[in-house]
Amino acid sequence: MNDSDPAFMRLALDEARNAAAAGEVPVGAVAVRDGRVLATARNRVEERHSAVSHAEIELLHAVEAVTGDWRMDEITFYITKEPCPMCAGALVNARAGRIVFGLADPRMGGCGSALDITGHPGVLWHPEVEGGVLAEEAQRIIREFFRNSREAKKVRPGDIRRQNFQSAAYIEKFNPLMLETFGMTFDHWFKLHVWDRRYESFAIFDGARMLAHAGLFALTLSVEGRPLPAIQLNGVATTASHRGRGLSRRIIGRILEEHAGTPAFLFANDSVLEFYPRFGFRRAEDFLPVAEERLLPCPAARRITPDEARPLLEKRCQFSRVFDAADGLPIHLFHLYGECRDHIWQLSGETAAVAIQEGSTLRLLDVFGSRPTEWSEVRTRLPFSGIERIEFGFTPDFLKVDFHWERRPESRNLFLRGDFGLPEQFCFPALLET
């Protein structure tokens, strides 16, 4: 074993963890030449609906794109689990210089455990093979993945099943219920692959049909600078044919039982306002931050796509000291790629805003970027004319803007459960509402 092998295998293990978070069998791979990483890859079988999208095959394609060549005799491939016969054959055909794997696979390993593809005397190329590098860690990741998978398939008390990773099969069952209840699917969010271990989906099934659902997202809020772990309930729905049978009540009861003591919040529609107080939720009114200002349009601002805005959102460096979410990125992306996709503006190379004009009022839903900015800069870069009033969808204290609080003309149906320790006046971020 080379001295550098463990370090590169750890990179492959990171890819394996990424695969597990995406609902894929956790195998990761890294290609290295002359001590430099050329490419990384992970299993994408479920994502691509392809039986051949193993980490090794994905990595070979990535290396070909980088090097422009199919011959890889100077490259070392680090793979967290012994390649299967298909992948071992592909590595032989690619003239791989060296194969380093972690966990051996006595059932399907193609590098000597079950079959010896790489060492078979009939093949034209024999890579150097090294096994067992960080094998225990690779085995731990795989065991945890399959343990969680088995747990997700079990029928929980009250016939409730829990899913805490994204899979194509689950999405096919989830989307019809969301379409029936909310008139939309969550496909735009699923394509982002941001469903991580903080999101859990609880549901009741009749065979393959999802009858009722409630999801939770675990995040950390910031209340007057104090971190507050909390959960957000979302996607609460029951198919029309089974409403009134207590299915949602059973699911929410289970969620709150498992997260007892953790503050919880949700936004409800008008038809279920009497439902949530049964679980200890109370209605709360947040306030609307408003600035009375006239704006002159900036011709330099341009509309950008969610893909263009996402890097700036991921690098957000400013948060409200009054109330904010320190790690709400998956929920923010849900809105950015959803109803906000046509309302994103680039204010500078490092700052973007989500803004909608309604007559002389500008609804400024978010401002984010990779460097700090202030209102004196933001106001001169917004591309809207005839604006006399700005309604913020967040507490804009970090922008150093002169604003005042107003009561909202209509309630947002915000429900809280537990001790949040909120200030008297606060604004729940618009892009955190679901």
Side-chain angles (χ1 to χ4, degrees), residues 145-382:
F145 172 81
F146 284 109
R147 183 171 59 248
N148 290 337
S149 296
R150 288 191 296 269
E151 177 67 17
K153 293 176 182 177
K154 290 181 180 178
V155 177
R156 304 179 63 80
D159 298 325
I160 298 170
R161 302 181 191 179
R162 176 171 60 187
Q163 184 95 350
N164 60 358
F165 60 87
Q166 178 176 324
S167 71
Y170 196 81
I171 292 170
E172 289 178 3
K173 301 169 185 174
F174 176 84
N175 268 336
L177 179 58
M178 296 299 105
L179 184 62
E180 177 187 333
T181 305
F182 302 113
M184 60 176 290
T185 71
F186 281 36
D187 276 339
H188 73 281
W189 188 71
F190 288 129
K191 289 177 182 177
L192 302 176
H193 295 284
V194 292
W195 181 341
D196 58 24
R197 293 293 175 183
R198 295 176 298 164
Y199 187 82
E200 296 182 0
S201 175
F202 293 76
I204 295 175
F205 289 85
D206 178 12
R209 184 187 180 201
M210 185 179 291
L211 302 180
H213 172 272
L216 75 86
F217 180 69
L219 72 169
T220 301
L221 301 175
S222 177
V223 182
E224 296 188 318
R226 170 177 56 89
L228 177 69
I231 59 172
Q232 178 195 50
L233 270 65
N234 50 54
V236 180
T238 301
T239 189
S241 60
H242 283 73
R243 288 172 192 161
R245 302 187 186 185
L247 302 187
S248 291
R249 184 168 63 249
R250 286 156 57 189
I251 294 175
I252 292 174
R254 174 62 57 185
I255 290 174
L256 297 178
E257 177 184 324
E258 294 195 6
H259 294 269
T262 303
F265 69 94
L266 58 88
F267 291 86
N269 59 51
D270 291 338
S271 64
V272 291
L273 299 184
E274 303 302 321
F275 177 69
Y276 293 105
R278 304 174 188 175
F279 301 93
F281 283 92
R282 63 190 182 279
R283 291 191 69 173
E285 297 292 337
D286 68 335
F287 287 76
L288 183 66
V290 175
E292 307 287 353
E293 287 198 39
R294 293 179 179 270
L295 300 183
L296 296 176
C298 173
R302 70 180 184 92
R303 200 189 305 267
I304 59 175
T305 67
D307 286 339
E308 293 175 297
R310 180 173 179 174
L312 294 176
L313 186 61
E314 291 174 338
K315 296 176 182 177
R316 177 196 292 271
C317 65
Q318 287 181 292
F319 299 89
S320 168
R321 289 281 300 176
V322 179
F323 185 92
D324 216 326
D327 55 355
L329 179 64
I331 304 298
H332 292 149
L333 289 172
F334 176 84
H335 295 290
L336 196 72
Y337 281 80
E339 74 278 11
C340 296
R341 64 180 302 111
D342 296 324
H343 306 287
I344 313 168
W345 300 89
Q346 180 120 34
L347 305 186
S348 70
E350 300 166 300
T351 307
V354 180
I356 304 172
Q357 182 172 2
E358 297 176 349
S360 61
T361 297
L362 181 67
R363 294 176 56 223
L364 190 57
L365 302 182
D366 204 358
V367 174
F368 51 87
S370 58
R371 69 166 179 83
T373 189
E374 297 183 3
W375 180 244
S376 58
E377 177 183 352
V378 171
R379 70 183 305 278
T380 62
R381 296 180 180 273
L382 291 166

Side-chain angles (χ1 to χ4, degrees), residues 112 115 139 169 317 321 330 370 374 389 391 412:
L115 297 172
Q139 184 178 51
C317 65
R321 289 281 300 176
S370 58
E374 297 183 3
R389 172 185 169 92
E391 297 180 352
R412 298 169 76 186

